[in-house]
Amino acid sequence: MTELSRRRRVLVLTICCMSLLIVSLDSSIVNIALPQISTSMHAPMAGLQWTVDAYLLVLASLLMLSGSTADRIGRRRTFQIGLAVFTVGSLLCSIAPSLGWLIVFRMVQAVGGSMLNPVAMAIITNTFTDRAERARAIGMWAGVMGVSTALGPVVGGALVDSLGWRAIFWINVPIGALAIVLCQIFVPESKAARARRFDPVGQLLVIVLLASLIYATIEGREAGWTSPRIIALFAVSAVALGVLIAYERRRHEPLVELRFFKSVPFSGASVVAVCGMGAMSGFLFINPLYLQNVRGMSALEAGLCTLPIAAMSLLISPRSGQMVAQRGPRLPLVIAGIAITLAAVVQTSLDNGTALVWLLVVYAVFGLGFGMQNPPITNTAMSGMPTEQAGVAAGIISTSRQVGQALGVAVVGSVVTSNLHGSLHTGLAEASHPGWWIITGCGVAVFALGLLTTGRWARRTAEATAASFAPDAGKPDDKVAVAAAGPGQA
């Protein structure tokens, strides 16, 4: 691809960030509307979990397919198709007549959403070829992700209070339409010189694995954790995982490129993405229910209370990207882990009368952690990966994020529901304590992996992984490989 001017590169980054804005915003904006959706459609807790997780489940299942498809048929083409499907799905969600149809239309949204983030990440990776410039671009990209995810409750609260919950889906329509037009004008087409073949067996196994795991986690409390159906679903999930690994290891061009995971930084970034996004989604699932049902706030008031998360993400994410470019990913990941852990462990004593000022401080600390974690996840995951397979690598890391979000809602929501005695108004605060301990564990995992997967040994594994792709994908981007651990890290 011919190198673009700086102005054109910035435009490409802006367009890619628009797609990230609507997808990340949508992932969190729905949370603030859950109490009103529950009242309007008489939805139980499990129904609210499915409203969020049906979207995340489909998104996670199709991300890797979308990444490899974009490498094969063209990234801009796939990106525009995704924008169109997502926009139509959003419109359908706004007119859903029942909870069942809302869940179905959320799945349509997710089909389009799966074609956006990994493809946009691949476009950015191929547009910004200089290591430092790429790190800054990824920092801005991750900043948009953090801010849009954290700002979702604020935007959603304003829309829900003024126009009703259906308005949270209207906002995607004009942004999506504008992004389609701008993409056609400014984003150059690109594809891998030799992309991977379609892997239908691998794709089916991924869907079975994630669907059975999430379904069993959400429905386990209602059906009984020891019921034959739930045990069978967990067993199916475990078998699907085993078969997927065995099958993909033998396949020449797999859907899930297991060789990527020989890179310790890549593997660490994938697990950090699951833990970090699981913490965020669990936090944003509990918080609106607590503020609105326990504290009696309106949707807008509850959304405004989360502004410290958005503000800290906005301030910290660009700085985190700079830190990654200058010093490597270790320090941002360590800070992220500490901040998430502190914010969550304080919430384990949450009660119906916890001081609002204290809550706002906790939200700010959590926003610090969330803002710190995204740039090193993305940069570390893409470091050392051949640019020819950027779509596949981006698909895997995006899938890790969405799996983390889906598991966060499923696990935390199920644990809270299992411990809920009485109504949400009187019992949610105490019932949420085990959920906050789970989120604390996620923060500890981010901290530990930040230390363990960013040293010199880890960097050597990333370089060896990059070299192993040389026969398949041409010479890897050595400059990027060096960024896996960053300069001077032990």
Side-chain angles (χ1 to χ4, degrees):
M1 184 175 69
T2 304
E3 184 172 354
L4 305 177
S5 66
R6 174 172 174 76
R7 178 177 175 275
R8 183 80 173 271
R9 292 197 301 273
V10 171
L11 282 171
V12 170
L13 176 61
T14 302
I15 295 166
C16 289
C17 286
M18 287 176 68
S19 75
L20 179 64
L21 174 68
I22 57 176
V23 172
S24 297
L25 195 67
D26 194 83
S27 295
S28 62
I29 199 172
V30 173
N31 290 308
I32 204 70
L34 290 178
Q36 193 176 106
I37 292 174
S38 176
T39 302
S40 173
M41 296 189 166
H42 309 289
M45 179 69 83
L48 299 181
Q49 287 175 275
W50 276 118
T51 302
V52 177
D53 265 359
Y55 174 86
L56 296 173
L57 176 60
V58 173
L59 198 65
S61 298
L62 298 180
L63 280 171
M64 285 180 286
L65 173 63
S66 298
S68 59
T69 299
D71 285 340
R72 184 168 55 252
I73 71 170
R75 292 165 185 139
R76 185 181 68 181
R77 179 186 301 177
T78 305
F79 191 63
Q80 288 179 299
I81 293 172
L83 284 167
V85 175
F86 185 87
T87 302
V88 171
S90 299
L91 188 60
L92 291 173
C93 286
S94 71
I95 59 174
S98 66
L99 181 66
W101 280 111
L102 176 61
I103 292 172
V104 170
F105 294 148
R106 289 278 287 161
M107 295 170 74
V108 174
Q109 258 193 318
V111 172
S114 71
M115 303 180 203
L116 299 181
N117 284 6
V119 180
M121 189 70 253
I123 291 172
I124 291 172
T125 301
N126 282 271
T127 299
F128 293 88
T129 55
D130 177 74
R131 182 182 70 84
E133 188 179 32
R134 179 185 292 175
R136 288 192 294 271
I138 289 175
M140 292 183 64
W141 159 270
V144 171
M145 175 182 291
V147 171
S148 57
T149 301
L151 202 58
V154 181
V155 177
L159 292 172
V160 168
D161 274 358
S162 58
L163 299 172
W165 68 264
R166 296 179 187 276
I168 64 175
F169 299 107
W170 297 342
I171 192 174
N172 297 327
V173 177
I175 298 176
L178 178 60
I180 292 172
V181 175
L182 294 177
C183 183
Q184 181 64 36
I185 297 172
F186 296 110
V187 177
E189 184 60 281
S190 65
K191 62 178 70 174
R194 191 178 68 83
R196 296 167 181 266
R197 298 173 185 170
F198 179 50
D199 181 5
V201 176
Q203 181 62 62
L204 178 62
L205 288 170
V206 168
I207 293 173
V208 172
L209 165 63
L210 295 178
S212 56
L213 177 61
I214 299 301
Y215 186 91
T217 304
I218 290 178
E219 300 295 335
R221 186 251 178 194
E222 186 70 25
W225 294 108
T226 59
S227 68
R229 176 161 59 103
I230 298 303
I231 292 175
L233 284 167
F234 279 125
V236 167
S237 179
V239 170
L241 175 61
V243 174
L244 176 68
I245 292 173
Y247 176 79
E248 296 294 276
R249 288 180 65 181
R250 294 195 305 268
R251 186 174 172 85
H252 178 60
E253 293 182 336
L255 174 71
V256 183
E257 179 52 84
L258 298 178
R259 285 183 295 171
F260 288 166
F261 293 95
K262 293 180 181 179
S263 165
V264 171
F266 184 89
S267 298
S270 299
V271 178
V272 168
V274 171
C275 294
M277 295 307 295
M280 184 65 175
S281 64
F283 191 103
L284 291 180
F285 184 78
I286 296 175
N287 193 59
L289 295 174
Y290 169 76
L291 292 177
Q292 294 181 66
N293 287 288
V294 177
R295 304 298 289 261
M297 295 184 182
S298 68
L300 177 58
E301 290 170 338
L304 288 172
C305 284
T306 66
L307 271 178
I309 302 177
M312 290 301 291
S313 295
L314 178 63
L315 293 172
I316 296 300
S317 286
R319 177 56 184 157
S320 177
Q322 293 171 2
M323 291 169 67
V324 171
Q326 295 168 3
R327 303 183 58 182
R330 174 175 287 182
L331 183 59
L333 286 176
V334 168
I335 294 173
I338 292 172
I340 292 171
T341 300
L342 288 176
V345 77
V346 168
Q347 293 290 80
T348 59
S349 60
L350 185 72
D351 59 40
N352 293 359
T354 299
L356 181 59
V357 173
W358 185 242
L359 290 175
L360 296 178
V361 171
V362 170
Y363 297 163
V365 174
F366 193 86
L368 166 66
F370 186 65
M372 273 288 175
Q373 79 174 1
N374 277 315
I377 288 174
T378 306
N379 187 272
T380 303
M382 300 303 291
S383 295
M385 296 301 109
T387 55
E388 285 295 303
Q389 302 300 334
V392 180
I396 292 175
I397 201 65
S398 294
T399 298
S400 298
R401 280 193 169 100
Q402 301 306 325
V403 168
Q405 284 189 272
L407 286 174
V409 173
V411 173
V412 173
S414 295
V415 168
V416 171
T417 304
S418 297
N419 287 275
L420 182 63
H421 304 291
S423 67
L424 287 174
H425 300 279
T426 58
L428 179 62
E430 184 176 353
S432 70
H433 293 172
W436 292 117
W437 279 117
I438 292 173
I439 296 172
T440 299
C442 291
V444 172
V446 171
F447 171 80
L449 289 167
L451 288 176
L452 294 173
T453 65
T454 55
R456 290 195 182 99
W457 165 72
R459 183 175 59 197
R460 288 195 295 268
T461 67
E463 292 168 348
T465 300
S468 73
F469 281 92
D472 295 336
K475 184 179 179 181
D477 188 347
D478 296 327
K479 291 182 180 179
V480 179
V482 174
Q489 292 192 345

